[in-house]
Amino acid sequence: AVALGAIQAAGASCPSLPPLKLRVRFDEAYPSSAPPSLAVRCCWMTDAQVEAVAAGLDAVAEAARGEPIVCAWLEWLRGEALSAVGLDSPGAALSLPEEAVASGAGRAARWPRDRRSVLATLRRHAAEVEEKEWAAALHRCGVCLDDHSSLDCLRLVRCKHTFCRLCLRGYWTAQMGAGLATGLLCPDPGCRLAAAPAEVKALLPAAEYEAYEKSILESSLAGMEDVTWCPRCEYPAEVETEADSGGGGGRLAFCARCSNAFCAECRLAWHGLAPCANLASRWRDADARGREALKQQYGPRLLEEVESAEWIRSHARPCPKCYIPTEKQGGCNHITCGTCRHEWCWLCHATYTKGHFRTGVCEQFSQDFFDEINLSREEFEHQYVVVDHW
């Protein structure tokens, strides 16, 4: 295999090309009376160009008849093959095959034959070369700003940013502690891409990775209308469709782990076509004695869920994109969803764009922010200058 230079392909530069393959078979007559038999294959040359390469090798063999020829062939391929097929000028362009090309036969032909396979081969080779160059280089971590070998670094596959393993592990552990397990991001300030699960598994301890997987699963199930959580064993349960539940309005849920059949709306044992107990509204309207009676009737665990749902209803707002409840604890009104990373305004629920607070009617800071820092709005504006007030 002989690797040649870089050329243009499909409108993009190819810094490195897959090797041209030369197969040699030595006959009994070699080298005294005949050269060895040869076959040439190349994915980025046309059939005519590959045949021209084979003809050039024949000419080299004819000029050195009776002498060993393989080393001379390799030197000719490295030094003169591109000029023999007209690809030696700067910016030379490759000719890709059409979608349907007849099967290649003979000693010299393009291989693979179809356009898609050729492009896939070029891209795969470019990625392999880039990976080898990355592995051999030193890399500056964007967090600690120290230089590290590739063995001590991890390059994120989605954005290609490189960080040392120690910093990346610490950053993701901090995100896990902040409840952002569903979106472990690249530490680069200008990058919003999430890490791949395999990258998280390579750095985090087993217990933290298990918590990460559980959080991802819960986030995925929360967006599925036909799945809910079993109130008995806290396992994902399937919600039957309206047709399958025999007119139950699509509320019947069945847990495959503990065989619990329950209502997906009120979370109680399945009550058929009878209306739900509507614990949430009963709990909301009850006084202290009424709530105690509900606890006695339905048990503390179920009532804890009702209380939790009521608290979320009054203190949180759904993300406009994934509808997961989001709680705001001080800070500005620019919200980034911890589940889907959607950016939105807490006041108007609109998708956040640059200039939203500067040109719109919404304020960047509400009264809860000033209560948090124990300053009035006037004192804050007098003492601080907000950078990037968008």
Side-chain angles (χ1 to χ4, degrees):
V2 179
L4 302 179
I7 332 182
Q8 301 284 327
S13 176
C14 297
S16 179
L17 292 170
L20 177 149
K21 295 181 179 179
L22 172 64
R23 291 190 175 93
V24 178
R25 186 177 64 186
F26 296 99
D27 302 322
E28 293 182 358
Y30 174 77
S32 59
S33 58
S37 301
L38 63 87
V40 183
R41 293 290 185 268
C42 183
C43 74
W44 43 272
M45 288 185 183
T46 64
D47 288 340
Q49 289 172 331
V50 180
E51 185 59 48
V53 169
L57 295 174
D58 289 340
V60 173
E62 183 64 27
R65 180 179 290 274
E67 300 178 3
I69 194 60
V70 176
C71 290
W73 276 351
L74 295 179
E75 290 301 320
W76 184 87
L77 287 172
R78 292 190 179 100
E80 301 183 41
L82 290 180
S83 60
V85 296
L87 295 177
D88 58 334
S89 60
L94 300 178
S95 176
L96 296 177
E98 300 299 330
E99 292 300 329
V101 180
S103 177
R107 65 170 191 164
R110 181 201 290 267
W111 194 267
R113 305 290 292 168
D114 62 285
R115 184 186 189 92
R116 180 177 298 177
S117 297
V118 169
L119 286 174
T121 302
L122 292 172
R123 292 190 181 105
R124 183 170 57 251
H125 177 76
E128 291 173 353
V129 171
E130 182 187 10
E131 183 66 25
K132 289 180 180 178
E133 292 176 348
W134 180 87
L138 288 175
H139 307 280
R140 174 155 295 183
C141 174
V143 178
C144 65
L145 302 181
D146 289 335
D147 292 332
H148 302 270
S149 70
S150 59
L151 294 176
D152 298 324
C153 294
L154 182 69
R155 181 169 62 163
L156 302 181
V157 65
R158 290 174 176 166
C159 60
K160 304 301 183 184
H161 290 138
T162 297
F163 302 92
C164 76
R165 290 174 176 266
L166 185 62
C167 288
L168 202 52
R169 183 183 297 114
Y171 178 71
W172 285 345
T173 298
Q175 285 193 308
M176 291 280 292
L180 300 177
T182 55
L184 298 185
L185 303 180
C186 168
D188 189 284
C191 184
R192 310 295 298 177
L193 295 179
E199 296 165 339
V200 178
K201 186 176 183 180
L203 291 187
L204 293 187
E208 291 188 12
Y209 181 72
E210 184 178 350
Y212 164 79
E213 278 192 317
K214 183 178 180 181
S215 180
I216 292 294
L217 175 62
E218 291 176 349
S219 175
S220 300
L221 293 179
M224 301 171 64
E225 297 181 355
D226 58 347
V227 176
T228 187
W229 292 96
C230 174
R232 179 187 294 171
C233 66
E234 299 184 352
Y235 190 77
E238 180 182 1
V239 180
E240 301 287 348
T241 63
E242 185 168 1
D244 293 337
S245 61
R251 298 174 300 174
L252 171 59
F254 182 79
C255 177
R257 171 180 282 184
C258 67
S259 301
N260 180 29
F262 61 97
C263 175
E265 184 172 328
C266 68
R267 317 288 291 167
L268 295 175
W270 178 239
H271 47 72
L273 300 181
C276 294
N278 202 4
L279 286 177
S281 61
R282 291 171 60 185
W283 179 267
R284 194 182 309 127
D285 298 335
D287 55 15
R289 179 178 298 179
R291 291 187 176 186
E292 187 62 32
L294 289 174
K295 285 184 179 180
Q296 294 293 330
Q297 182 178 357
Y298 295 106
R301 180 174 178 180
L302 185 60
L303 268 300
E304 284 177 6
E305 293 186 6
V306 174
E307 286 184 284
S308 175
E310 285 300 294
W311 190 94
I312 292 175
R313 189 184 68 86
S314 59
H315 291 82
R317 298 180 184 179
C319 167
K321 184 177 181 180
C322 68
Y323 304 105
I324 299 297
T326 302
E327 178 191 3
K328 178 176 178 289
Q329 296 180 333
C332 74
N333 292 315
H334 174 195
I335 304 298
T336 300
C337 177
T339 301
C340 67
R341 313 306 299 172
H342 177 65
E343 299 182 43
W344 50 287
C345 174
W346 178 261
L347 298 179
C348 67
H349 272 215
T351 298
Y352 173 79
T353 56
K354 288 184 178 181
H356 181 82
F357 298 113
R358 187 177 64 247
T359 61
V361 297
C362 299
E363 294 183 327
Q364 186 172 6
F365 301 103
S366 298
Q367 186 58 44
D368 61 339
F369 168 75
F370 300 109
D371 294 340
E372 178 187 17
I373 62 175
N374 198 28
L375 288 176
S376 68
R377 187 184 299 271
E378 292 75 17
E379 291 172 332
F380 175 78
E381 292 177 351
H382 178 71
Q383 297 180 27
Y384 296 93
V385 174
V386 178
V387 180
D388 294 339
H389 191 288
W390 290 336

